[in-house]
Amino acid sequence: QVQLVESGGRLVQTGGSLRLSCAASGSILSSYVMGWFRQAPGKEREFVAQIAWSDGSTYFADSVKGRFTISRDSAKNTVYLQMNSLKPEDTAVYYCAARWVTVTTYNSWGQGTQVTVSS
């Protein structure tokens, strides 16, 4: 399994930017897809973005497409979520997750980091 530690969440104003980091360790990361999810109060956890560690291919939820980007730094074993043009509805706990490329279920999760966007 992969161990994940998120950081970077904080209070930011509407229209602002924020970069979340996810430090990964453990199994061979090239075999994994890394994802970001979020959970707002009273709502279910939802998918935000993902990146394949091996080739860098990405996929985004429609709600963040064009505003968020995801990237990875192989030297640092870290995945980033760059969030621009933030909206109050982006307020949530953001979780980093990992899954093997051959499955669809994420089986490793970080502890989460709080992002609050003030209006």
Side-chain angles (χ1 to χ4, degrees), residues 1-40:
Q1 257 192 337
V2 177
Q3 290 75 49
L4 305 170
V5 179
E6 305 99 329
S7 61
R10 62 175 175 86
L11 174 66
V12 62
Q13 291 186 337
T14 296
S17 297
L18 199 59
R19 188 178 79 163
L20 304 183
S21 300
C22 173
S25 61
S27 300
I28 300 173
L29 295 177
S30 60
S31 302
Y32 281 81
V33 173
M34 307 297 294
W36 284 97
F37 291 74
R38 67 186 182 186
Q39 187 168 20

Side-chain angles (χ1 to χ4, degrees), residues 6-97:
E6 305 99 329
S7 61
R10 62 175 175 86
L11 174 66
V12 62
Q13 291 186 337
T14 296
S17 297
L18 199 59
R19 188 178 79 163
L20 304 183
S21 300
C22 173
S25 61
S27 300
I28 300 173
L29 295 177
S30 60
S31 302
Y32 281 81
V33 173
M34 307 297 294
W36 284 97
F37 291 74
R38 67 186 182 186
Q39 187 168 20
K43 295 187 177 181
E44 293 188 353
R45 186 176 298 183
E46 65 173 358
F47 169 80
V48 175
Q50 71 180 38
I51 185 167
W53 201 277
S54 58
D55 64 4
S57 57
T58 60
Y59 183 76
F60 296 90
D62 288 343
S63 59
V64 306
K65 204 171 292 184
R67 299 189 298 123
F68 291 11
T69 59
I70 187 171
S71 61
R72 83 253 191 265
D73 184 331
S74 297
K76 296 181 179 181
N77 285 351
T78 300
V79 175
Y80 302 101
L81 183 69
Q82 178 66 45
M83 306 185 292
N84 300 324
S85 302
L86 284 162
K87 307 174 182 180
E89 51 264 43
D90 294 317
T91 294
V93 177
Y94 283 71
Y95 297 90
C96 180

Side-chain angles (χ1 to χ4, degrees), residues 96-118:
C96 180
R99 61 172 173 86
W100 292 328
V101 295
T102 55
V103 301
T104 58
T105 302
Y106 285 83
N107 60 353
S108 295
W109 293 85
Q111 82 286 353
T113 186
Q114 176 70 49
V115 172
T116 303
V117 184
S118 64

